[in-house]
Amino acid sequence: MAAEISPQTRQLADHVSAALQTPLPANVVRKTKHHIIDTIAAMVSGAQLPPGRRGLAYVAQSHDGQATLIGGLRSSPVEAALANGISAHADETDDSHPRSISHPGCAVVPAALAVGEVAKRSGEEVLRAVATGYDVGTRVVLSLGTPVLNTESSGRSTHAYCSLFGAAGAAAVLYGLDEQQVRHTLSYAAQSASGVTSWVRDPNHVEKAFVFAGMPSSNGVRAAAMVASGCDGVPDVFSGVPNFLDALSTEVRRDELSDGLGERYEILHTNIKKFAVGSPAQAAVQAVLELVEEQPIDPTDVAQIRIVLPHDLARVVDERAMPDINCQYLVAGTLVDRGFTFAMAHDDDRMNDPTILALRECNELIPDPQRAGVRTADVTVTLRDGTSRQRFVGAVRGTVDDPMSDDEINAKAVDLMEPVLGRSTTETLLARLWSIEECADITDVTTPLLGAVLTEAGT
């Protein structure tokens, strides 16, 4: 007797299997370009940082294949997705999807690039696969019920689950799998689903990058590659007894698997960071940046800096050891420089500069018990003469509520990539990415990444 397939699973699999032949609306194409550019920039800059270097070192033990590794190597698509995924989340600069509490791009884009290369796909096909990956990963997480992230308790990590199914969806598109094969891919992905919130205790961001991006991206590619090679599996891992959703949740919302497919593109509801810092610090950096752009503040005149953040995530950026997730340091550095740069946000030595230390010592970070689940900040700078300057940021630049322009996306990418690739290669790469739908072969985009030089400064 033929296995019963739920309508939700069949609709999801149909959507994935038809993606190569389904044009995207113009606004989705533009937004997908933004996320591909933003994620590749994160990969390039992240390859210089300890997590990215360690991921590359692991994969380089057996480098041989068709998929590009940043730094001049090639590997299998499974291992390329692992290493490039870790690089994409080595820092705090990749995108995020609020409703599913996830970071889709750092896993979906590396998976799509790796499989796109070995499958000889065009830029337009990769665009469609990436948009599909965002649709799949976020919907699987939402089908488990309302996502919750409580960094003070133990639980499964929505970030890893979204990344896994997103990568599997994108890879399935580019392998050209049919509806049945997509369902089998999703089943293999379900069997490799893992990730728990213990990543919050990772002191050096290496394991966190593995959990959020490297592991799920690699597992998603592997799931699709196994089915593409001839493996079959469970016809519907999301329904029947037993199934994936019931195993993990008592609040299953199965309809979320297919809700709005082809009409609601989740990439349009995904945020891009303007500033390469931990998400909870975004609004605080923007607030002080707006203050100093409006009127410079002399650091020696500052008596106190008061930062109020939502209570659920304030501890994530409270005087952390890493500069890019230390809110007090980021606010001080932005105030002194009267601007924000990737270099400032990653300067370990500067955290102990006397001027910065003086500002950190008069800096107070206060959790707001009335706010949670949002990225807001209220920053007040009090001067020694008793006057004060205050700024509240309720919608961070780059979020869906306040999106970045093409020029801002490009400027951020240049800031992240030019120190690694050089001006000429960066300009060439960005020109190709902005017209990615015209690339007959995605290797036109990935080849410049082979020129990334891993500097000793990144160790």
Side-chain angles (χ1 to χ4, degrees):
M1 183 173 67
E4 291 189 8
I5 314 299
S6 73
Q8 296 90 348
T9 300
R10 193 177 297 280
Q11 288 169 33
L12 183 63
D14 280 337
H15 180 77
V16 174
S17 64
L20 278 182
Q21 289 75 43
T22 306
L24 296 170
N27 63 327
V28 179
V29 169
R30 178 174 177 268
K31 190 70 157 57
T32 304
K33 285 184 186 180
H34 283 189
H35 288 268
I36 291 175
I37 290 169
D38 192 65
T39 304
I40 288 178
M43 288 165 52
V44 170
S45 62
Q48 305 289 300
L49 300 175
R53 296 179 67 87
R54 292 172 191 177
L56 288 165
Y58 165 73
V59 171
Q61 295 179 94
S62 57
H63 66 276
D64 183 26
Q66 298 172 282
T68 296
L69 286 171
I70 294 172
L73 303 174
R74 292 188 184 276
S75 186
S76 72
V78 171
E79 293 199 323
L82 172 66
N84 290 336
I86 289 176
S87 289
H89 193 70
D91 188 31
E92 290 289 344
T93 189
D94 51 304
D95 63 21
S96 61
H97 184 267
R99 190 167 170 236
S100 63
I101 310 181
S102 66
H103 291 242
C106 59
V108 172
V109 173
L113 292 176
V115 178
E117 284 189 279
V118 300
K120 306 297 183 184
R121 293 299 184 182
S122 68
E124 184 170 13
E125 289 170 326
V126 169
L127 266 174
R128 294 176 182 181
V130 168
T132 302
Y134 279 66
D135 281 338
V136 175
T138 55
R139 281 174 169 80
V140 171
V141 169
L142 294 172
S143 71
L144 289 167
T146 304
V148 176
L149 175 60
N150 184 347
T151 57
E152 296 180 354
S153 67
S154 304
R156 65 175 184 270
S157 179
T158 52
H159 308 84
Y161 285 76
C162 176
S163 292
L164 167 67
F165 286 100
V173 171
L174 294 167
Y175 276 122
L177 303 186
D178 62 27
E179 185 269 342
Q180 181 185 58
Q181 290 174 311
V182 171
R183 287 190 277 107
H184 292 166
T185 295
L186 294 171
S187 188
Y188 276 93
Q191 294 296 354
S192 58
S194 61
V196 294
T197 53
S198 57
W199 54 258
V200 75
R201 296 162 51 207
D202 173 21
N204 296 314
H205 215 271
V206 180
E207 185 177 339
K208 183 172 183 282
F210 174 76
V211 174
F212 277 45
M215 172 192 69
S217 187
S218 178
N219 286 347
V221 169
R222 181 184 291 109
M226 290 183 68
V227 174
S229 73
C231 294
D232 55 8
V234 172
D236 184 356
V237 76
F238 299 126
S239 297
V241 180
N243 70 75
F244 172 77
L245 299 180
D246 290 338
L248 294 182
S249 176
T250 58
E251 301 177 359
V252 172
R253 299 179 179 180
R254 199 164 277 106
D255 286 346
E256 290 280 6
L257 286 171
S258 58
D259 183 50
L261 280 173
E263 299 174 356
R264 190 185 76 240
Y265 294 88
E266 290 303 327
I267 202 162
L268 296 178
H269 303 281
T270 305
N271 300 329
I272 290 179
K273 288 184 177 179
K274 182 174 175 62
F275 310 107
V277 302
S279 287
Q282 286 273 303
V285 170
Q286 182 171 324
V288 74
L289 183 61
E290 290 177 1
L291 286 175
V292 296
E293 286 178 340
E294 180 181 80
Q295 182 181 337
I297 297 173
D298 185 338
T300 62
D301 289 339
V302 176
Q304 183 187 48
I305 302 175
R306 183 175 183 269
I307 307 168
V308 181
L309 298 181
H311 73 87
D312 57 332
L313 291 175
R315 68 185 291 263
V316 175
V317 292
D318 187 7
E319 284 293 2
R320 295 289 297 275
M322 294 171 61
D324 58 324
I325 53 174
N326 184 313
C327 189
Q328 291 91 334
Y329 165 73
L330 293 165
V331 165
T334 302
L335 187 150
V336 172
D337 292 352
R338 301 177 187 175
F340 175 88
T341 62
F342 179 85
M344 179 275 286
H346 296 80
D347 192 336
D348 292 276
D349 293 338
R350 198 171 177 208
M351 292 182 74
N352 296 313
D353 174 86
T355 301
I356 297 293
L357 277 177
L359 290 173
R360 287 175 63 187
E361 288 171 0
C362 68
N363 213 316
E364 183 180 15
L365 180 58
I366 302 172
D368 183 350
Q370 303 301 317
R371 291 184 182 274
V374 292
R375 297 290 189 272
T376 63
D378 195 334
V379 175
T380 303
V381 179
T382 302
L383 305 180
R384 296 190 185 280
D385 63 6
T387 62
S388 63
R389 310 252 318 269
Q390 181 267 345
R391 186 61 54 96
F392 174 78
V393 172
V396 180
R397 186 67 171 166
T399 60
V400 174
D401 293 329
D402 190 11
M404 293 164 67
S405 66
D406 290 358
D407 287 344
E408 288 175 303
I409 294 290
N410 202 76
K412 177 187 173 185
V414 169
D415 185 41
L416 296 182
M417 294 195 296
E418 194 170 281
V420 183
L421 300 178
R423 177 177 295 180
S424 177
T425 301
T426 298
E427 289 177 352
T428 298
L429 177 57
L430 284 171
R432 292 176 184 177
L433 287 170
W434 283 113
S435 58
I436 189 172
E437 71 273 30
E438 299 173 10
C439 289
D441 189 331
I442 195 60
T443 57
D444 290 343
V445 167
T446 56
T447 297
L449 298 176
L450 290 169
V453 178
L454 302 184
T455 64
E456 289 302 313
T459 59

